[in-house]
Amino acid sequence: MNALRLAISWLTVAPVPGPAKVDRQTAGHAITVAPVVGIGLGAVATAGLWLLVSAGMTTVLAGLLAVGLLALLTRGMHLDGLADTVDGLGSYGPPERAREIMKSGGAGPFGVVALVFAVAIQSVAFAALADQHRWLAIVLAVAAGRVAVVLACRGTAAAPGAGFGALVADTQPRAAVLIWPTLAVVAAIWAVPDNPWLGPVVVSAALALTVAITRHCARRFEGLSGDVLGAVVEIAVSIAATGFSLAS
């Protein structure tokens, strides 16, 4: 229960107090249950999207508002992590300089472009899924972003000076990185009913790509940071939602 409370307090704006003491063991357990929080976030965003569409709003605008709702529910920290990570990757300096850029607090040109693309891709993909009444696919896309975080926190050390990264880097047991992706792939069978093979392929591709991105970032920044985890979430959600939205 401490792990779930910590995961909710970390990953959402819900007024749930975390445990009094947070060590690497508790932090690791919180990351392990992060997909559960992702399912809840996906369900709330999907419910909001359904209500807006049912009220007569266009699916494109409703999709954009659903993405905005997710940003609100998560304090926008994943989008912020995406912008910082892309700015760091876009720098030409050594790892120390890249980490300084990521911690600067502002969004550079690379980060702004990444934000625009992430929000646009997710909004349009959510709209397409709403048009096709694939509500489960939206929930699963959001949850897949949190499954990607579990994978990212396995086998990668923390970057120098990382705060959140130092708590969660390389904390995930082998069981977690096997069970959560398996469950996501199996659930994806029903994400695209007309093509039951497509959902598992999309989830597998999204998770594989985010693992590759995590490894690249770890080499570039000399380890894992909270910003990289935020970027992983947004990239996985974007890929999964786009793949699920493919026409039958």
Side-chain angles (χ1 to χ4, degrees):
M1 291 304 298
N2 279 343
L4 183 58
R5 285 166 49 205
L6 181 59
I8 295 173
S9 66
W10 268 351
L11 302 175
T12 75
V13 295
V16 176
K21 179 182 178 181
V22 178
D23 52 20
R24 274 180 55 82
Q25 182 179 23
T26 306
H29 291 165
I31 294 297
T32 301
V33 299
V36 176
V37 180
I39 294 171
L41 289 169
V44 173
T46 303
L49 178 57
W50 178 83
L51 287 172
L52 292 173
V53 172
S54 298
M57 185 177 292
T58 64
T59 54
V60 173
L61 180 55
L64 178 60
L65 292 177
V67 173
L69 176 60
L70 281 173
L72 179 64
L73 292 174
T74 59
R75 304 184 188 91
M77 59 184 176
H78 304 317
L79 289 170
D80 179 67
L82 174 65
D84 289 341
T85 299
V86 174
D87 279 335
L89 290 174
S91 66
Y92 292 98
E96 295 83 358
R97 175 56 180 160
R99 293 196 299 268
E100 289 178 3
I101 290 173
M102 294 168 68
K103 293 180 179 179
S104 65
F110 290 112
V112 171
V113 171
L115 286 177
V116 170
F117 268 90
V119 171
I121 289 171
Q122 291 177 24
S123 300
V124 175
F126 284 2
L129 292 170
D131 279 330
Q132 301 172 56
H133 303 289
R134 297 181 184 176
W135 308 111
L136 173 63
I138 300 173
V139 177
L140 185 56
V142 177
R146 282 68 188 175
V147 175
V149 168
V150 174
L151 298 180
C153 291
R154 166 81 179 182
T156 305
F164 183 76
L167 275 175
V168 301
D170 200 19
T171 58
Q172 295 310 289
R174 185 184 300 273
V177 299
L178 291 175
I179 292 174
W180 279 120
T182 300
L183 291 176
V185 168
V186 172
I189 294 173
W190 292 275
V192 188
D194 294 335
N195 290 319
W197 58 270
L198 180 59
V201 170
V202 168
V203 170
S204 299
L207 296 180
L209 184 57
T210 52
V211 167
I213 291 172
T214 301
R215 298 294 183 264
H216 175 68
C217 289
R219 290 192 297 270
R220 182 69 179 87
F221 308 136
E222 297 183 331
L224 187 69
S225 69
D227 284 332
V228 174
L229 294 179
V232 162
V233 169
E234 295 298 337
I235 292 170
V237 173
S238 299
I239 295 173
T242 300
F244 291 153
S245 69
L246 295 176
S248 302

